[in-house]
Amino acid sequence: DQQVKQNSPSLSVQEGRISILNCDYTNSMFDYFLWYKKYPAEGPTFLISISSIKDKNEDGRFTVFLNKSAKHLSLHIVPSQPGDSAVYFCAAGGSFSGGYQKVTFGTGTKLQVIP
Amino acid sequence: ETGVTQTPRHLVMGMTNKKSLKCEQHLGHNAMYWYKQSAKKPLELMFVYNFKEQTENNSVPSRFSPECPNSSHLFLHLHTLQPEDSALYLCASSQRGSASGANVLTFGAGSRLTVL
């Protein structure tokens, strides 16, 4: 059972326009949601997170929106730049257990920003 | 060296071989993880070590054997693997804080494993 879903495997956007990456989840007990970015031949790197008690978090060009009633979150990148081309993973963190917070990942969305 | 370092970056092995993947973190974190990334699948959590103690074994077959000798080093010993075990194996670390706040993982670049 996949608790975090990214239904779009790929997305192409023109440079300067907005990129919107979507993520759906099924477990209402998730406390935090995170986005990671992955370039080829590198590991995923943390991008931005949002607490389940918030509906928006912004960091520069990146904004994450959370709609708890719809169990949906999205990452907006404005303006999109060619260097943003990467695979973006949505992740969700549950409660602490055994001394750590378990993080569940989606399958990723490959973003291509066209110059 | 900084961050999380994984070696080797690429590994090709036969089904009867024994090999090991190594992970080292220079961040002072106290939790380390092994994840498996297969094509078109989510990152799958395999093992978690917290303060050198294994706290999670996510129903991983015994042909994968983790070892955490200290909080900076993590190994994944591989024995009699199957071709379907071919994947990218990612090591990560995090700092266990209070029971609040997002658990932000720092990943290594991964070890690309091919089982023939």
Side-chain angles (χ1 to χ4, degrees):
Chain A
D1 176 35
Q2 206 169 317
Q3 297 187 61
V4 177
K5 299 177 184 177
Q6 294 177 257
N7 293 318
S8 298
S10 63
L11 174 68
S12 289
V13 171
Q14 208 72 31
E15 180 179 4
R17 306 295 289 267
I18 184 172
S19 295
I20 300 176
L21 296 99
N22 294 303
C23 178
D24 297 296
Y25 62 95
T26 57
N27 187 345
S28 58
M29 300 302 290
F30 286 135
D31 289 329
Y32 275 87
F33 302 89
L34 310 95
W35 286 94
Y36 285 80
K37 178 169 75 173
K38 184 182 185 299
Y39 293 118
E42 294 183 16
T45 55
F46 170 71
L47 193 57
I48 191 169
S49 67
I50 186 168
S51 164
S52 61
I53 61 172
K54 305 252 175 135
D55 55 18
K56 178 182 174 182
N57 188 27
E58 192 172 352
D59 184 0
R61 297 186 297 113
F62 302 90
T63 303
V64 57
F65 295 92
L66 176 62
N67 182 335
K68 284 187 69 177
S69 61
K71 293 191 177 70
H72 177 85
L73 67 154
S74 60
L75 175 68
H76 293 213
I77 306 173
V78 183
S80 301
Q81 299 174 354
D84 296 328
S85 297
V87 177
Y88 289 78
F89 290 97
C90 174
S95 58
F96 270 78
S97 174
Y100 78 102
Q101 183 189 54
K102 186 172 181 177
V103 179
T104 303
F105 286 83
T107 51
T109 297
K110 185 175 183 178
L111 172 66
Q112 182 184 20
V113 180
I114 304 164
Chain B
E1 294 241 30
T2 59
V4 179
T5 305
Q6 289 187 244
T7 55
R9 293 294 308 275
H10 299 272
L11 178 62
V12 179
M13 60 187 289
M15 290 191 284
T16 57
N17 291 158
K18 286 185 182 180
K19 297 285 183 184
S20 296
L21 306 180
K22 179 183 176 182
C23 177
E24 184 174 1
Q25 59 99 357
H26 308 269
L27 300 166
H29 289 168
N30 49 31
M32 295 188 77
Y33 310 75
W34 280 115
Y35 277 86
K36 176 183 177 182
Q37 186 187 11
S38 304
K40 300 183 181 178
K41 286 187 173 182
L43 272 71
E44 300 173 56
L45 178 64
M46 300 176 72
F47 301 103
V48 182
Y49 277 82
N50 186 36
F51 289 107
K52 302 187 299 177
E53 300 295 323
Q54 188 181 122
T55 56
E56 179 98 9
N57 176 338
N58 211 23
S59 303
V60 180
S62 59
R63 57 185 184 269
F64 294 91
S65 174
E67 178 190 0
C68 187
N70 55 62
S71 57
S72 299
H73 293 85
L74 185 64
F75 295 88
L76 187 63
H77 303 300
L78 316 170
H79 178 48
T80 59
L81 295 192
Q82 306 297 313
E84 59 265 29
D85 295 323
S86 299
L88 180 68
Y89 289 85
L90 291 161
C91 174
S93 69
S94 71
Q95 180 63 36
R96 174 184 178 268
S98 61
S100 63
N103 185 20
V104 177
L105 304 176
T106 301
F107 284 89
S111 294
R112 173 70 63 187
L113 173 66
T114 303
V115 182
L116 301 176

